[in-house]
Amino acid sequence: MTEAPQTDSATGPGFPAIRTVGVDGFLVSFADALDERANRAALAFRAALERESWTGVAECATSLVSAFLRFDLAACDHAGLRARLETLLASRDWYDAPLPGGRRLWRVPVVFGSEHGPQLAEAAELAGQSTDTAIATLCANPVRVQTIGFAPGQPYLGQLPENWDIPRQTGLTPLVPQGALVVAIRQLIVFSVGTPTGWRHIGQTGLRLFRPDAPDPFLLRPGDEVMFHPADDLDRLRTAPDGGAVAEALT
Amino acid sequence: MTRALTIHSATPGVTVQDTGRPGYLAQGLSRGGAADLLALAEGAALLGQPDTCAALELAGGALALTASQDMRIALTGAEMRATLDGAPLVWGANHALPKGARLDISPLRGGFGYLHIGGGLHPPESLGAASAHLAAGIGRAVQAGDTIPVGLDRGHRTGLCLPSATLDTTLRLVPSLQTALFGPDALARLETTRFTKDARGNRMGQRLVPDGAGFATAEGLRILSEIIVPGDVQITGDGMPYVLLSECQTTGGYPRIGTVLPCDLPKLLRAGPGTVFGLRFVTLEEGAALERAEATRRAGLGRALTPLLRDPRDMPDLLSYQLVSGVTAGHDLEEC
């Protein structure tokens, strides 16, 4: 991936772009690489789609730099919906949209390395750092929940320094457990379910990001920030409320 | 008296499924629900009830159960072996399930089969739906000893079957966000490659094995995670294609070479492992037209049902059938 300067990828030619997804979906992308302003634009554009609630639109969501909508082919056609999306896009500068309200800062303990993060050394080497420096780097600054996706409540967190632009592995690790901290392409993810993955497993949290029977089943929201810190007793984290994480309001 | 099914045995992969949970995509929860939505519509047509009724999905599995009351059932999706107190039942049809009679279903060639009950299944709901979403940790597979509540059935017709379908092994694709990443040569090769349905498959996705080289792209390992929809053909780092299904992830970073039309997914889901498929691109306009035509056909399924023709030699209790009163002009088939 060519790492374009952040401002260029957002405002460069071709973006925002409207593309189709499958046979009944549209994706409005604000960049082709992870980008702070494009992420805010995607969140704001999706919120606008929810407010518009056009007839025939079945569902909206965001990914890192895009807003998605799925529609009912019996109620809409591609040309009509594309025209409405173009009009909405032109109605303002989405890149200067503010972050969502009600954001929180979560301080999350992580057990790094050993059997709880078997690929820490490999990931650190790809990033050109010792394991100790890697842990210090990953815990130095908060990372933001840029989107929730892949599995229920699962945050994509970023953006890490450029030396962490490491690729996914070619093979899949057959199973990485719930609560795992994994890394690739300048992002961290905490897994909300056990899953196979191409990302490298570097640590373990006690977080339960999805609680289907709770009144509020999803722990994190896009816009929240997460500050990791090293811990050493995973059993204690797993039994603690919210996996030992504490939240404070961001103003 | 409560209407319920009692499960006597169930292999892993038997779950309650309905049309799933739309609306949670933004929270990372895929819609889930029945892998084969056509099968849900067929079961609904056979029993004269809405296709939102929950049914049992057998992902290649086996099941034995009894009913607490007289009920009606319909059998759809991948053909399986079904017996009622040992007597064979025709697949793709609806039948009476008398109180206490033992229904046994076991796999034939593989694939996803469905057992629908008149009145639908009513297990406890989670996040607004009855379906288990195993990948998300919602609900669980059906187990021996389970009792599953069944709703009231206002219909009465049995002995109806679906029109017979011919086996079609071409999966039609529309281009996806990342199709162009693969380049014209790989895309042309995709359409001439034969793909064998692998034994590895579940509600999240079905692996296809090409008869030649895989379809890996160098840049595929670094692209941003982006929205996934069921039907997407995801190419993992080793070049292997997976057709993603109803319980797939909501976003993913492996590139998608195209998206199988929803109306073609049942072909893949009903086939056994070892079945050979071809992939063919259609334009978005063609794809949308095919989907709309299929939606119209699906809505008219109730009118396409025919009385089940049975070989009298297979009917030991022939004299007990009221043969004349079973004759119908056809128009009342929807009113069951």
Side-chain angles (χ1 to χ4, degrees), chain B residues 39 48 57 68 85 113 163 169 179 194 203 239 263-264 306 323 330 334:
Chain B
E57 178 180 276
S68 65
D85 281 337
T169 55
T179 300
R194 309 300 293 167
R203 292 178 38 76
C263 65
D264 277 2
T306 54
L323 294 172
E334 298 164 86

Side-chain angles (χ1 to χ4, degrees), chain A residues 18 28 45 54 79-91:
Chain A
I18 301 175
V28 180
F45 193 75
W54 296 332
L81 207 44
R82 181 183 285 271
R84 299 186 93 162
L85 287 170
E86 283 167 354
T87 304
L88 185 59
L89 264 179
S91 69

Side-chain angles (χ1 to χ4, degrees), chain B residues 238-250:
Chain B
D238 57 2
M240 281 295 125
Y242 285 78
V243 180
L244 300 175
L245 301 174
S246 67
E247 218 168 81
C248 65
Q249 62 272 39
T250 63

